[in-house]
Short mmCIF file of all heavy atoms in Angstrom, two decimals:
data_model
loop_
_atom_site.label_atom_id
_atom_site.label_comp_id
_atom_site.label_asym_id
_atom_site.label_seq_id
_atom_site.Cartn_x
_atom_site.Cartn_y
_atom_site.Cartn_z
N LEU A 169 -7.84 -2.09 8.32
CA LEU A 169 -8.66 -2.64 7.25
C LEU A 169 -7.83 -3.00 6.02
O LEU A 169 -7.95 -4.07 5.46
CB LEU A 169 -9.77 -1.66 6.88
CG LEU A 169 -10.82 -1.46 7.98
CD1 LEU A 169 -11.64 -0.21 7.74
CD2 LEU A 169 -11.73 -2.69 8.04
N GLN A 170 -6.97 -2.07 5.57
CA GLN A 170 -6.07 -2.37 4.46
C GLN A 170 -4.95 -1.33 4.36
O GLN A 170 -4.53 -0.93 3.29
CB GLN A 170 -6.82 -2.46 3.13
CG GLN A 170 -7.75 -1.32 2.81
CD GLN A 170 -8.55 -1.64 1.56
OE1 GLN A 170 -8.10 -2.31 0.62
NE2 GLN A 170 -9.77 -1.16 1.53
N GLY A 171 -4.45 -0.93 5.51
CA GLY A 171 -3.38 0.04 5.55
C GLY A 171 -3.94 1.46 5.61
O GLY A 171 -5.13 1.65 5.87
N PRO A 172 -3.07 2.44 5.43
CA PRO A 172 -1.65 2.38 5.09
C PRO A 172 -0.77 2.03 6.28
O PRO A 172 -1.26 1.89 7.41
CB PRO A 172 -1.36 3.80 4.59
CG PRO A 172 -2.32 4.65 5.36
CD PRO A 172 -3.56 3.83 5.51
N ILE A 173 0.54 1.89 6.02
CA ILE A 173 1.51 1.60 7.06
C ILE A 173 2.01 2.94 7.61
O ILE A 173 2.72 3.67 6.93
CB ILE A 173 2.68 0.77 6.50
CG1 ILE A 173 2.16 -0.54 5.90
CG2 ILE A 173 3.72 0.48 7.58
CD1 ILE A 173 3.17 -1.28 5.05
N ASN A 174 1.61 3.26 8.83
CA ASN A 174 1.93 4.56 9.41
C ASN A 174 3.24 4.51 10.18
O ASN A 174 3.65 3.47 10.69
CB ASN A 174 0.80 5.00 10.35
CG ASN A 174 -0.53 5.13 9.62
OD1 ASN A 174 -0.73 6.05 8.84
ND2 ASN A 174 -1.44 4.20 9.86
N ARG A 175 3.90 5.68 10.27
CA ARG A 175 5.13 5.81 11.04
C ARG A 175 4.81 6.40 12.41
O ARG A 175 4.07 7.39 12.52
CB ARG A 175 6.13 6.72 10.32
CG ARG A 175 6.54 6.19 8.94
CD ARG A 175 7.31 4.88 9.03
NE ARG A 175 7.70 4.40 7.72
CZ ARG A 175 8.83 4.72 7.13
NH1 ARG A 175 9.70 5.53 7.74
NH2 ARG A 175 9.12 4.25 5.94
N PHE A 176 5.39 5.82 13.44
CA PHE A 176 5.06 6.15 14.82
C PHE A 176 5.21 7.64 15.11
O PHE A 176 4.30 8.29 15.63
CB PHE A 176 5.94 5.33 15.76
CG PHE A 176 5.68 5.57 17.22
CD1 PHE A 176 4.63 4.92 17.86
CD2 PHE A 176 6.47 6.45 17.95
CE1 PHE A 176 4.37 5.14 19.20
CE2 PHE A 176 6.22 6.67 19.30
CZ PHE A 176 5.17 6.02 19.92
N LYS A 177 6.37 8.22 14.80
CA LYS A 177 6.66 9.58 15.23
C LYS A 177 5.79 10.62 14.52
O LYS A 177 5.56 11.71 15.05
CB LYS A 177 8.14 9.91 15.04
CG LYS A 177 8.62 9.85 13.60
CD LYS A 177 10.11 10.15 13.52
CE LYS A 177 10.62 10.07 12.08
NZ LYS A 177 12.07 10.34 12.00
N ASN A 178 5.30 10.32 13.32
CA ASN A 178 4.45 11.25 12.59
C ASN A 178 2.97 11.04 12.88
O ASN A 178 2.17 11.98 12.80
CB ASN A 178 4.68 11.12 11.08
CG ASN A 178 6.11 11.42 10.69
OD1 ASN A 178 6.74 12.30 11.27
ND2 ASN A 178 6.62 10.70 9.71
N PHE A 179 2.61 9.82 13.25
CA PHE A 179 1.21 9.43 13.35
C PHE A 179 0.65 9.59 14.76
O PHE A 179 -0.41 10.19 14.97
CB PHE A 179 1.09 7.98 12.89
CG PHE A 179 -0.30 7.42 12.91
CD1 PHE A 179 -1.34 8.06 12.26
CD2 PHE A 179 -0.57 6.22 13.57
CE1 PHE A 179 -2.63 7.54 12.28
CE2 PHE A 179 -1.84 5.69 13.60
CZ PHE A 179 -2.87 6.35 12.95
N VAL A 180 1.37 9.09 15.75
CA VAL A 180 0.86 9.00 17.12
C VAL A 180 0.50 10.35 17.75
O VAL A 180 -0.51 10.45 18.45
CB VAL A 180 1.85 8.22 18.00
CG1 VAL A 180 1.53 8.39 19.47
CG2 VAL A 180 1.82 6.74 17.63
N PRO A 181 1.28 11.42 17.55
CA PRO A 181 0.93 12.70 18.18
C PRO A 181 -0.49 13.18 17.87
O PRO A 181 -1.09 13.90 18.67
CB PRO A 181 1.98 13.66 17.63
CG PRO A 181 3.17 12.80 17.35
CD PRO A 181 2.59 11.51 16.86
N GLN A 182 -1.04 12.75 16.74
CA GLN A 182 -2.39 13.18 16.38
C GLN A 182 -3.46 12.66 17.34
O GLN A 182 -4.52 13.27 17.48
CB GLN A 182 -2.74 12.71 14.96
CG GLN A 182 -1.87 13.29 13.87
CD GLN A 182 -2.34 12.84 12.50
OE1 GLN A 182 -3.33 13.33 11.96
NE2 GLN A 182 -1.65 11.86 11.93
N PHE A 183 -3.18 11.53 17.99
CA PHE A 183 -4.15 10.96 18.92
C PHE A 183 -4.40 11.85 20.13
O PHE A 183 -5.45 11.76 20.76
CB PHE A 183 -3.67 9.59 19.42
CG PHE A 183 -3.66 8.51 18.37
CD1 PHE A 183 -2.61 7.61 18.31
CD2 PHE A 183 -4.68 8.39 17.45
CE1 PHE A 183 -2.58 6.60 17.36
CE2 PHE A 183 -4.67 7.40 16.49
CZ PHE A 183 -3.62 6.51 16.44
N TYR A 184 -3.45 12.71 20.44
CA TYR A 184 -3.51 13.46 21.69
C TYR A 184 -3.69 14.96 21.48
O TYR A 184 -3.62 15.73 22.42
CB TYR A 184 -2.26 13.17 22.52
CG TYR A 184 -1.93 11.70 22.55
CD1 TYR A 184 -0.78 11.21 21.96
CD2 TYR A 184 -2.82 10.79 23.11
CE1 TYR A 184 -0.50 9.86 21.94
CE2 TYR A 184 -2.56 9.43 23.10
CZ TYR A 184 -1.40 8.97 22.52
OH TYR A 184 -1.13 7.62 22.50
N GLU A 185 -3.92 15.36 20.24
CA GLU A 185 -4.18 16.77 19.97
C GLU A 185 -5.62 17.11 20.33
O GLU A 185 -6.53 16.29 20.20
CB GLU A 185 -3.93 17.07 18.49
CG GLU A 185 -2.47 16.91 18.07
CD GLU A 185 -2.29 17.02 16.56
OE1 GLU A 185 -3.30 17.16 15.85
OE2 GLU A 185 -1.13 16.97 16.09
N ASP A 186 -5.82 18.34 20.78
CA ASP A 186 -7.17 18.81 21.13
C ASP A 186 -7.88 19.24 19.86
O ASP A 186 -7.56 20.28 19.27
CB ASP A 186 -7.07 19.98 22.11
CG ASP A 186 -8.44 20.40 22.63
OD1 ASP A 186 -9.45 19.78 22.23
OD2 ASP A 186 -8.51 21.36 23.42
N LYS A 187 -8.83 18.42 19.41
CA LYS A 187 -9.55 18.71 18.17
C LYS A 187 -11.02 18.97 18.48
O LYS A 187 -11.77 18.03 18.74
CB LYS A 187 -9.43 17.52 17.20
CG LYS A 187 -8.00 17.11 16.88
CD LYS A 187 -7.99 15.94 15.94
CE LYS A 187 -6.57 15.44 15.71
NZ LYS A 187 -6.07 14.73 16.90
N PRO A 188 -11.45 20.21 18.49
CA PRO A 188 -12.86 20.50 18.75
C PRO A 188 -13.74 19.95 17.64
O PRO A 188 -13.30 19.81 16.49
CB PRO A 188 -12.90 22.03 18.80
CG PRO A 188 -11.73 22.46 17.98
CD PRO A 188 -10.67 21.42 18.19
#
Side-chain angles (χ1 to χ4, degrees):
L169 293 163
Q170 50 187 327
I173 302 167
N174 299 288
R175 299 295 180 89
F176 181 82
K177 61 182 179 181
N178 300 324
F179 181 54
V180 167
Q182 297 184 77
F183 292 139
Y184 315 115
E185 295 172 356
D186 187 0
K187 304 180 185 73

